[in-house]
Amino acid sequence: RHKEKWATTAPRIPSTRLALHHFDTSYSLHLGALWPSVRAGLLCEQKYGALLNNFAAADLVPQELELLSATDFISEASQKAQQWQRGAAAEMSPPLCTSISSKIKCYTFPRGDISRFRPARPDSLGLLDYYLMDAASLLPVLALNVQPGDFVLDLCAAPGGKTLALLQTGLCGHLAANDVSISRTKRLYEVLHSYVPKEVRDTVSVTSYDGRDWDRVKGDTFDKVLVDVPCTTDRHSAMEEHNNIFHKRRTKERQMLPMLQLELLMAGILATKPGAELVYSTCSLSPLQNECVVERALDIAEAQFNIRIHVEDLSHFRTLFQDTFSFFSDCRLGELVLPHLTANFGPMYFCKLRRM
Ligand code: SAM
């Protein structure tokens, strides 16, 4: 009895502190000397990007943002790639140019500038002019490199930032946006209604399946698959008590994350057509949730399904986007954006796979 009373009155350790303790232990090993600066970034206000809504009548918005000295980091990168193509580094350029979809426009403030964007505004039809998101979240979408008419699956889609970016390409033949959470799927619907006209919304099918069962719904039918899995959302876990996965009550759920991520990635692989491509992404720095999940999936695909997977090289992303993001240079597979005080985006891990 005595023990029980003690248990209920003992001060609870904040989940954010548990998260930081966990990060200090594991990331100082993984990131070494970089960890203190990444940690400082995680604990400071994050930077946003303004993803322009091509469906809104908002012609003056680019001019307005440029007056504030924000720039579209994607068109800047593609201009840089074109210059390289003409110049000395021509041998590096083919992947540089082909990998960027110029229809996606996202404004960011320069390195070291911590200005904030005004809230989005509606046009005369009520469509909002931009969507504020972590600009690093666009990198997995750019890596997917959607081509005209592609059938695209966004397996864990809510609240819909990346779904919206996929639609901004104007290239999806069909987009399947799925998320197991009914409440988060509601937010996805809200995003679609606020940003996308009805005729484009009609090309999107929104579902709420458990993504792990996707192959029972539809097998290998997609040209492009995005698997943006649930993870320890490191920035959120270090800063917010609400809905924190480091809460003592959620220990089991947290420990099971790599297994859930692996199952979702496997379902994504099985959803791709032979020859088609997939991007796996998380907003965590954890190698257990990033590279280890990918490595394990490659083994299982080969051993259990006789599917060979090629890991695509994305190192040119580091060159292209180095002015906007801080990248970790030691990933074995995929790329990782590290938070940094002068470019406080991420974390964002992304890895591109091709089913052979
Ligand atoms: N892609 C989204 C975006 O850009 O706005 C963010 C996705 S969030 C990182 C991960 C999502 O996975 C959550 O919305 C969560 O509800 C969903 N999820 C968790 N378990 C799932 C499962 N078994 N099947 C499908 N979705 C799942």
Side-chain angles (χ1 to χ4, degrees), residues 56-89:
D59 300 348
L60 295 178
V61 174
Q63 211 180 323
E64 175 198 337
L65 296 178
E66 278 157 25
L67 278 173
L68 300 170
S69 47
T71 51
D72 171 13
F73 80 88
I74 301 170
S75 77
E76 272 186 344
S78 95
Q79 279 162 21
K80 212 160 70 175
Q82 280 163 18
Q83 278 167 13
W84 282 331
Q85 196 162 34
R86 280 184 239 117

Tab-separated table of all heavy atoms in Angstrom, residues 56-89:
chain	number	residue	atom	x	y	z
A	56	ALA	N	-3.749	28.020	-56.448
A	56	ALA	CA	-4.381	29.266	-56.001
A	56	ALA	C	-4.019	30.393	-56.963
A	56	ALA	O	-2.969	30.351	-57.606
A	56	ALA	CB	-3.906	29.601	-54.595
A	57	ALA	N	-4.901	31.376	-57.059
A	57	ALA	CA	-4.581	32.563	-57.854
A	57	ALA	C	-3.756	33.468	-56.947
A	57	ALA	O	-4.309	34.257	-56.174
A	57	ALA	CB	-5.867	33.244	-58.290
A	58	ALA	N	-2.449	33.289	-56.972
A	58	ALA	CA	-1.588	33.999	-56.025
A	58	ALA	C	-0.327	34.471	-56.742
A	58	ALA	O	0.789	34.291	-56.261
A	58	ALA	CB	-1.242	33.071	-54.868
A	59	ASP	N	-0.542	35.131	-57.901
A	59	ASP	CA	0.602	35.518	-58.742
A	59	ASP	C	1.574	36.470	-58.048
A	59	ASP	O	2.750	36.510	-58.380
A	59	ASP	CB	0.098	36.204	-60.023
A	59	ASP	CG	-0.792	35.264	-60.819
A	59	ASP	OD1	-0.802	34.066	-60.475
A	59	ASP	OD2	-1.472	35.733	-61.752
A	60	LEU	N	1.041	37.262	-57.094
A	60	LEU	CA	1.901	38.282	-56.485
A	60	LEU	C	2.695	37.766	-55.288
A	60	LEU	O	3.575	38.456	-54.772
A	60	LEU	CB	1.056	39.482	-56.051
A	60	LEU	CG	0.390	40.236	-57.223
A	60	LEU	CD1	-0.476	41.375	-56.710
A	60	LEU	CD2	1.456	40.767	-58.191
A	61	VAL	N	2.381	36.533	-54.870
A	61	VAL	CA	3.035	36.016	-53.652
A	61	VAL	C	4.557	35.890	-53.815
A	61	VAL	O	5.304	36.330	-52.930
A	61	VAL	CB	2.374	34.687	-53.199
A	61	VAL	CG1	3.123	34.076	-52.031
A	61	VAL	CG2	0.932	34.941	-52.815
A	62	PRO	N	5.072	35.350	-54.946
A	62	PRO	CA	6.530	35.257	-55.077
A	62	PRO	C	7.212	36.610	-54.903
A	62	PRO	O	8.213	36.724	-54.185
A	62	PRO	CB	6.736	34.725	-56.500
A	62	PRO	CG	5.484	33.985	-56.811
A	62	PRO	CD	4.389	34.723	-56.098
A	63	GLN	N	6.604	37.628	-55.531
A	63	GLN	CA	7.176	38.976	-55.435
A	63	GLN	C	7.181	39.459	-53.978
A	63	GLN	O	8.180	39.979	-53.483
A	63	GLN	CB	6.274	39.895	-56.246
A	63	GLN	CG	6.958	41.060	-56.889
A	63	GLN	CD	5.918	41.871	-57.670
A	63	GLN	OE1	4.988	41.310	-58.274
A	63	GLN	NE2	6.060	43.173	-57.622
A	64	GLU	N	6.058	39.217	-53.303
A	64	GLU	CA	5.935	39.623	-51.892
A	64	GLU	C	7.020	38.938	-51.045
A	64	GLU	O	7.683	39.590	-50.227
A	64	GLU	CB	4.535	39.215	-51.401
A	64	GLU	CG	4.298	39.464	-49.927
A	64	GLU	CD	3.099	38.668	-49.385
A	64	GLU	OE1	2.200	38.272	-50.159
A	64	GLU	OE2	3.095	38.441	-48.159
A	65	LEU	N	7.240	37.639	-51.296
A	65	LEU	CA	8.215	36.899	-50.495
A	65	LEU	C	9.643	37.318	-50.839
A	65	LEU	O	10.506	37.415	-49.958
A	65	LEU	CB	8.033	35.386	-50.699
A	65	LEU	CG	6.685	34.829	-50.225
A	65	LEU	CD1	6.583	33.335	-50.504
A	65	LEU	CD2	6.488	35.079	-48.725
A	66	GLU	N	9.873	37.599	-52.119
A	66	GLU	CA	11.221	38.013	-52.521
A	66	GLU	C	11.586	39.366	-51.917
A	66	GLU	O	12.740	39.605	-51.565
A	66	GLU	CB	11.334	38.011	-54.052
A	66	GLU	CG	11.602	36.597	-54.569
A	66	GLU	CD	11.187	36.370	-56.015
A	66	GLU	OE1	11.133	37.359	-56.772
A	66	GLU	OE2	10.904	35.212	-56.378
A	67	LEU	N	10.572	40.244	-51.753
A	67	LEU	CA	10.837	41.539	-51.098
A	67	LEU	C	11.311	41.351	-49.654
A	67	LEU	O	12.021	42.182	-49.103
A	67	LEU	CB	9.575	42.409	-51.106
A	67	LEU	CG	9.321	43.161	-52.416
A	67	LEU	CD1	7.962	43.855	-52.371
A	67	LEU	CD2	10.439	44.184	-52.647
A	68	LEU	N	10.910	40.220	-49.062
A	68	LEU	CA	11.340	39.922	-47.678
A	68	LEU	C	12.667	39.173	-47.658
A	68	LEU	O	13.116	38.705	-46.639
A	68	LEU	CB	10.279	39.063	-46.979
A	68	LEU	CG	8.876	39.661	-46.861
A	68	LEU	CD1	7.879	38.622	-46.368
A	68	LEU	CD2	8.910	40.853	-45.906
A	69	SER	N	13.261	39.012	-48.829
A	69	SER	CA	14.494	38.281	-49.134
A	69	SER	C	14.399	36.766	-48.978
A	69	SER	O	15.400	36.088	-48.803
A	69	SER	CB	15.753	38.865	-48.484
A	69	SER	OG	15.604	39.149	-47.180
A	70	ALA	N	13.174	36.247	-49.065
A	70	ALA	CA	13.027	34.782	-49.162
A	70	ALA	C	13.258	34.380	-50.623
A	70	ALA	O	13.029	35.179	-51.533
A	70	ALA	CB	11.627	34.363	-48.720
A	71	THR	N	13.745	33.157	-50.823
A	71	THR	CA	13.962	32.678	-52.197
A	71	THR	C	13.417	31.254	-52.329
A	71	THR	O	13.277	30.541	-51.329
A	71	THR	CB	15.469	32.638	-52.553
A	71	THR	OG1	16.149	31.914	-51.506
A	71	THR	CG2	16.061	34.018	-52.681
A	72	ASP	N	13.115	30.875	-53.577
A	72	ASP	CA	12.638	29.515	-53.845
A	72	ASP	C	13.861	28.600	-53.932
A	72	ASP	O	14.597	28.636	-54.918
A	72	ASP	CB	11.846	29.532	-55.159
A	72	ASP	CG	11.489	28.133	-55.625
A	72	ASP	OD1	11.634	27.181	-54.837
A	72	ASP	OD2	11.070	28.002	-56.795
A	73	PHE	N	14.074	27.798	-52.896
A	73	PHE	CA	15.327	27.020	-52.850
A	73	PHE	C	15.380	25.955	-53.941
A	73	PHE	O	16.461	25.532	-54.347
A	73	PHE	CB	15.558	26.419	-51.451
A	73	PHE	CG	14.773	25.165	-51.146
A	73	PHE	CD1	15.278	23.910	-51.464
A	73	PHE	CD2	13.540	25.232	-50.521
A	73	PHE	CE1	14.573	22.747	-51.168
A	73	PHE	CE2	12.823	24.084	-50.227
A	73	PHE	CZ	13.339	22.848	-50.555
A	74	ILE	N	14.216	25.551	-54.454
A	74	ILE	CA	14.222	24.498	-55.477
A	74	ILE	C	14.652	25.066	-56.827
A	74	ILE	O	15.507	24.504	-57.511
A	74	ILE	CB	12.835	23.823	-55.556
A	74	ILE	CG1	12.500	23.220	-54.190
A	74	ILE	CG2	12.823	22.737	-56.630
A	74	ILE	CD1	11.094	22.741	-54.031
A	75	SER	N	14.095	26.239	-57.186
A	75	SER	CA	14.502	26.798	-58.485
A	75	SER	C	15.960	27.263	-58.407
A	75	SER	O	16.702	27.159	-59.382
A	75	SER	CB	13.562	27.915	-58.935
A	75	SER	OG	13.838	29.085	-58.240
A	76	GLU	N	16.390	27.725	-57.239
A	76	GLU	CA	17.810	28.102	-57.089
A	76	GLU	C	18.714	26.905	-57.358
A	76	GLU	O	19.722	27.013	-58.063
A	76	GLU	CB	18.074	28.606	-55.668
A	76	GLU	CG	17.830	30.082	-55.528
A	76	GLU	CD	18.229	30.581	-54.144
A	76	GLU	OE1	18.400	29.776	-53.214
A	76	GLU	OE2	18.364	31.796	-54.013
A	77	ALA	N	18.309	25.746	-56.785
A	77	ALA	CA	19.134	24.543	-56.967
A	77	ALA	C	19.132	24.120	-58.424
A	77	ALA	O	20.166	23.702	-58.959
A	77	ALA	CB	18.614	23.412	-56.078
A	78	SER	N	17.963	24.244	-59.085
A	78	SER	CA	17.943	23.776	-60.473
A	78	SER	C	18.736	24.727	-61.374
A	78	SER	O	19.376	24.295	-62.329
A	78	SER	CB	16.513	23.512	-60.946
A	78	SER	OG	15.996	24.593	-61.596
A	79	GLN	N	18.738	26.032	-61.040
A	79	GLN	CA	19.588	26.971	-61.805
A	79	GLN	C	21.069	26.617	-61.631
A	79	GLN	O	21.851	26.633	-62.573
A	79	GLN	CB	19.355	28.406	-61.341
A	79	GLN	CG	18.106	29.040	-61.949
A	79	GLN	CD	17.660	30.257	-61.171
A	79	GLN	OE1	18.444	30.860	-60.434
A	79	GLN	NE2	16.397	30.617	-61.318
A	80	LYS	N	21.404	26.292	-60.386
A	80	LYS	CA	22.792	25.932	-60.092
A	80	LYS	C	23.196	24.699	-60.903
A	80	LYS	O	24.270	24.650	-61.498
A	80	LYS	CB	22.912	25.630	-58.595
A	80	LYS	CG	24.233	25.983	-58.016
A	80	LYS	CD	24.190	26.137	-56.515
A	80	LYS	CE	23.979	24.844	-55.786
A	80	LYS	NZ	24.046	24.944	-54.335
A	81	ALA	N	22.276	23.722	-60.952
A	81	ALA	CA	22.568	22.487	-61.694
A	81	ALA	C	22.791	22.803	-63.170
A	81	ALA	O	23.684	22.233	-63.800
A	81	ALA	CB	21.422	21.501	-61.521
A	82	GLN	N	21.971	23.722	-63.702
A	82	GLN	CA	22.132	24.072	-65.123
A	82	GLN	C	23.467	24.752	-65.380
A	82	GLN	O	24.131	24.491	-66.374
A	82	GLN	CB	20.983	24.966	-65.574
A	82	GLN	CG	19.726	24.160	-65.883
A	82	GLN	CD	18.482	25.030	-65.924
A	82	GLN	OE1	18.581	26.248	-66.059
A	82	GLN	NE2	17.322	24.406	-65.793
A	83	GLN	N	23.863	25.624	-64.432
A	83	GLN	CA	25.170	26.293	-64.576
A	83	GLN	C	26.289	25.261	-64.585
A	83	GLN	O	27.208	25.318	-65.389
A	83	GLN	CB	25.402	27.270	-63.430
A	83	GLN	CG	24.730	28.609	-63.651
A	83	GLN	CD	24.708	29.429	-62.366
A	83	GLN	OE1	25.389	29.112	-61.400
A	83	GLN	NE2	23.907	30.489	-62.367
A	84	TRP	N	26.186	24.297	-63.661
A	84	TRP	CA	27.214	23.263	-63.597
A	84	TRP	C	27.273	22.485	-64.891
A	84	TRP	O	28.334	22.089	-65.350
A	84	TRP	CB	26.942	22.312	-62.429
A	84	TRP	CG	27.339	22.878	-61.105
A	84	TRP	CD1	28.328	23.784	-60.881
A	84	TRP	CD2	26.759	22.578	-59.853
A	84	TRP	NE1	28.400	24.073	-59.542
A	84	TRP	CE2	27.443	23.346	-58.878
A	84	TRP	CE3	25.728	21.748	-59.424
A	84	TRP	CZ2	27.143	23.295	-57.535
A	84	TRP	CZ3	25.430	21.698	-58.088
A	84	TRP	CH2	26.118	22.463	-57.154
A	85	GLN	N	26.075	22.245	-65.439
A	85	GLN	CA	26.009	21.451	-66.656
A	85	GLN	C	26.788	22.155	-67.773
A	85	GLN	O	27.454	21.524	-68.573
A	85	GLN	CB	24.565	21.268	-67.086
A	85	GLN	CG	24.398	20.166	-68.097
A	85	GLN	CD	22.952	19.718	-68.168
A	85	GLN	OE1	22.047	20.524	-68.008
A	85	GLN	NE2	22.740	18.457	-68.410
A	86	ARG	N	26.666	23.493	-67.780
A	86	ARG	CA	27.386	24.249	-68.817
A	86	ARG	C	28.869	24.374	-68.478
A	86	ARG	O	29.699	24.588	-69.327
A	86	ARG	CB	26.772	25.654	-68.957
A	86	ARG	CG	25.510	25.609	-69.793
A	86	ARG	CD	24.966	27.011	-69.993
A	86	ARG	NE	23.617	27.120	-69.462
A	86	ARG	CZ	23.237	27.901	-68.465
A	86	ARG	NH1	24.100	28.681	-67.864
A	86	ARG	NH2	21.989	27.932	-68.062
A	87	GLY	N	29.194	24.271	-67.179
A	87	GLY	CA	30.563	24.563	-66.749
A	87	GLY	C	31.421	23.334	-66.570
A	87	GLY	O	31.183	22.286	-67.177
A	88	ALA	N	32.400	23.473	-65.679
A	88	ALA	CA	33.447	22.464	-65.540
A	88	ALA	C	32.943	21.143	-64.970
A	88	ALA	O	33.448	20.084	-65.323
A	88	ALA	CB	34.543	23.016	-64.637
A	89	ALA	N	31.921	21.214	-64.102
A	89	ALA	CA	31.499	19.989	-63.411
A	89	ALA	C	30.466	19.211	-64.213
A	89	ALA	O	29.601	18.542	-63.663
A	89	ALA	CB	30.938	20.339	-62.038
